[in-house]
Amino acid sequence: MPTLKPKHRPFCFSVKGHVKILRLALSVTSMTFFIIGQAPEPYIVITGFEVTVIFFFIILYMLRLDRLIACLFWPLLVFGILAGVCCIADGVLIYRKLLFNPSGPYQKQAIHDKI
């Protein structure tokens, strides 16, 4: 008796796809509010990193790379590459901050203090 293969639903039309796209929209919205509200930089950076990771996972699922590369544990590869890029970017930003402002950390001033 032949086994019937379940019909493949495209990722964008599945429940899992809708949840991930909704999560991406929520993260982009929160990052926008952090930028508009002039939140501390770590909040914006962490939210931006989350948006990037979610976006890459959506692309990964849409291209069905999770099914094509069965022998490779791809989340480890993706997170490894992203962690390496973030470490390099962090090192460059810290170097620039120390190079151009060796006296100490950056102090934000309120707008009413400038007037």
Side-chain angles (χ1 to χ4, degrees):
M1 182 171 194
T3 59
L4 296 174
K5 232 180 175 179
K7 187 176 179 182
H8 172 70
R9 292 177 70 181
F11 177 73
C12 293
F13 298 119
S14 67
V15 175
K16 186 177 180 181
H18 287 304
V19 170
K20 290 204 182 291
I21 291 172
L22 184 64
R23 182 177 173 195
L24 177 66
L26 182 67
S27 295
V28 168
T29 305
S30 63
M31 188 171 90
T32 304
F33 286 145
F34 281 150
I35 291 171
I36 291 172
Q38 296 179 351
E41 291 174 6
Y43 294 158
I44 298 170
V45 171
I46 290 171
T47 310
F49 181 70
E50 182 179 356
V51 167
T52 305
V53 168
I54 295 170
F55 178 73
F56 280 125
F57 272 109
I58 288 174
I59 296 297
L60 198 75
Y61 286 125
M62 286 175 64
L63 296 176
R64 296 185 54 155
L65 292 178
D66 57 329
R67 298 179 196 267
L68 292 175
I69 309 174
C71 63
L72 180 66
F73 188 63
W74 55 266
L76 180 62
L77 179 68
V78 170
F79 284 125
I81 291 172
L82 285 176
V85 168
C86 287
C87 285
I88 291 170
D90 187 39
V92 168
L93 290 174
I94 289 174
Y95 176 75
R96 283 187 59 215
K97 186 178 265 189
L98 291 175
L99 183 66
F100 294 124
N101 189 13
S103 62
Y106 174 70
Q107 298 291 328
K108 271 192 168 180
Q109 293 180 353
I111 294 175
H112 59 80
D113 289 342
K114 293 180 181 178
I115 298 176

